[in-house]
Amino acid sequence: MKDRKLPTLDLKRGYARIKDEIDQAVKEVLESQYFIMGPQVSGLESDVERYLEVPRAIGCASGSDALVLALKALDLKPGDEVITTPYSFFATASCITRLGGTPVFADVDPDSYNVTAETVLSKVTDKTKAFIPVHLFGQMVHMEELSKELEVRNVAVVEDCAQAFGSWRSIDETPVRAGASGVLGCFSFFPTKNLGGYGDGGMVVSRNQEMADRIAKLRVHGAGTTYFHDEVGMNSRLDAIQAAVLRVKLRHLDSWNEERRIAADRYRVLFAEHDLLGIVTPPVEDEGNYHIYHQYVPKVIRDRDRLLEHLGSEGITARVYYPLSLHMQRCFSFLGYDKGDFPVSESLTEQTIALPIFPEITEEEQEWVVSTIAAFYGKK
């Protein structure tokens, strides 16, 4: 066993499944010699608009840039507050401070790991400019419980969908995809994502045409016409090779997400078979959600870090998302938060562990993972 290796995500297996399609798509870009923006990028934008059922999609250079572009389009200014979660990747909060805004954190639900209407609405003040829900690990926030109330309070919703491309939630008996319920939705195409490129890439989707037009300018230094700049923007263009790769992968995304869901169900069954459910708590899929399991993140009741080391010693790569809540990061100390301010988020940083999950993971590999966990805890 110790000679075997299992990563949290095996990109090589994914490439092997669609190698011919990918190679042909990249070849066409190379032959065209059109590498920045152009027809592949506009084609991807159109594909995403159809898939998400949104009026506009604007490609950019990364998921982090997508968040910054969205907040710039909202005219976020120093003194403005943006409510979000402390249990997320760094870019969720840094996009706010980069523009001079103030992150205001709301604690999360211990089961879904997402913010709730109760925690968010209690943070709204007359300084609140926006709310950034993070659809963490591939599961959507209960947007229907927040959107109308925030609209009444003139708070814009900017969805952080970096981990949720293809996730949806049933709202009024209608499936609404992540990114399609806020005024703006932000996506990452980092290679490890469910819809990942072969380098950096991102996208903003918008239900507001005026904002979409502005973001399209902001990503090219604020230029409406080349060399004529309406405002100071960013250099955040999506390149054609990434767009071509993503267009191929988007065609397969739904079936890959379903394979992830099957793998997640298999983990739950294996935990029960190995008598681990009193020690390991599988991630909860909220009613009405279609969870795409970008990460498979259960909680363990004790010895999380030692378990992580044990798995690694056996050749199984597991990770911790996230080891330190955003409100405890040194660079955000100026916000004045202390340990204990967000107890659920803080407890999750100590209890959760991300196990290998990807469309091609085998039943035998999952059995290996769970039996290794069982052996660590002295179970059969």
Side-chain angles (χ1 to χ4, degrees), residues 242-259:
Q242 300 310 322
V245 167
L246 291 164
R247 295 185 77 185
V248 171
K249 296 180 90 173
L250 182 58
R251 297 198 293 265
H252 300 275
L253 181 66
D254 285 347
S255 61
W256 291 343
N257 282 342
E258 190 58 30
E259 287 172 349

Side-chain angles (χ1 to χ4, degrees), residues 286-334:
D286 283 348
E287 184 178 357
N289 272 351
Y290 184 86
H291 197 326
I292 61 169
Y293 294 96
H294 166 64
Q295 303 290 347
Y296 186 82
V297 185
K299 292 182 286 189
V300 296
I301 64 170
R302 66 177 187 272
D303 298 327
R304 191 272 312 274
D305 292 344
R306 286 184 55 234
L307 173 61
L308 190 69
E309 292 176 4
H310 178 70
L311 289 168
S313 72
E314 295 294 321
I316 298 167
T317 302
R319 300 184 184 278
V320 175
Y321 301 102
Y322 298 93
L324 186 66
S325 295
L326 293 176
H327 70 287
M328 296 298 294
Q329 297 287 346
R330 182 182 302 175
C331 64
F332 294 141
S333 61
F334 70 95

Side-chain angles (χ1 to χ4, degrees), residues 117 120-122 124 131 143-157:
V120 170
L121 294 176
S122 68
V124 177
F131 163 53
M143 298 303 297
E144 74 281 7
E145 298 174 5
L146 284 158
S147 297
K148 290 181 181 178
E149 182 63 28
L150 292 175
E151 185 177 0
V152 168
R153 302 191 194 191
N154 200 31
V155 176
V157 175

Side-chain angles (χ1 to χ4, degrees), residues 37-85:
M37 304 291 281
Q40 286 291 352
V41 172
S42 60
L44 174 65
E45 291 170 342
S46 295
D47 292 346
V48 170
E49 288 164 3
R50 286 190 293 271
Y51 182 87
L52 297 180
E53 298 182 352
V54 293
R56 287 286 299 278
I58 307 102
C60 61
S62 70
S64 298
D65 278 6
L67 288 164
V68 172
L69 286 164
L71 293 181
K72 284 179 72 71
L74 292 176
D75 290 317
L76 188 73
K77 294 179 175 61
D80 290 339
E81 296 178 349
V82 180
I83 301 169
T84 193
T85 169

Side-chain angles (χ1 to χ4, degrees), residues 92-257:
T92 301
S94 67
C95 66
I96 303 166
T97 57
R98 283 177 61 182
L99 297 176
T102 302
V104 174
F105 295 116
D107 212 352
V108 297
D109 176 73
D111 296 324
S112 70
Y113 313 152
N114 282 333
V115 293
T116 67
E118 181 181 6
T119 59
V120 170
L121 294 176
S122 68
K123 302 290 183 176
V124 177
T125 71
D126 56 4
K127 296 181 180 179
T128 306
K129 182 81 170 185
F131 163 53
I132 301 179
V134 178
H135 305 310
L136 198 68
F137 304 144
Q139 173 161 228
M140 281 186 66
V141 172
H142 295 192
M143 298 303 297
E144 74 281 7
E145 298 174 5
L146 284 158
S147 297
K148 290 181 181 178
E149 182 63 28
L150 292 175
E151 185 177 0
V152 168
R153 302 191 194 191
N154 200 31
V155 176
V157 175
V158 178
E159 295 176 74
D160 184 339
C161 313
Q163 302 179 1
F165 204 114
S167 175
W168 53 264
R169 177 165 177 77
S170 179
I171 300 176
D172 295 329
E173 299 184 353
T174 300
V176 177
R177 292 194 186 273
S181 58
V183 65
L184 298 166
C186 301
F187 294 88
S188 168
F189 299 133
F190 191 76
T192 59
K193 298 298 190 283
N194 289 43
L195 181 61
Y198 290 168
D200 270 320
M203 183 165 282
V204 184
V205 300
S206 177
R207 294 190 291 112
N208 182 299
Q209 290 287 0
E210 185 177 347
M211 266 184 208
D213 289 341
R214 188 176 177 196
I215 290 168
K217 294 178 182 179
L218 285 168
R219 68 175 169 175
V220 287
H221 295 291
T225 305
T226 304
Y227 302 127
F228 293 87
H229 302 267
D230 300 321
E231 59 183 314
V232 177
M234 302 164 56
N235 178 17
S236 187
R237 299 167 297 192
L238 182 62
D239 75 72
I241 288 179
Q242 300 310 322
V245 167
L246 291 164
R247 295 185 77 185
V248 171
K249 296 180 90 173
L250 182 58
R251 297 198 293 265
H252 300 275
L253 181 66
D254 285 347
S255 61
W256 291 343
N257 282 342

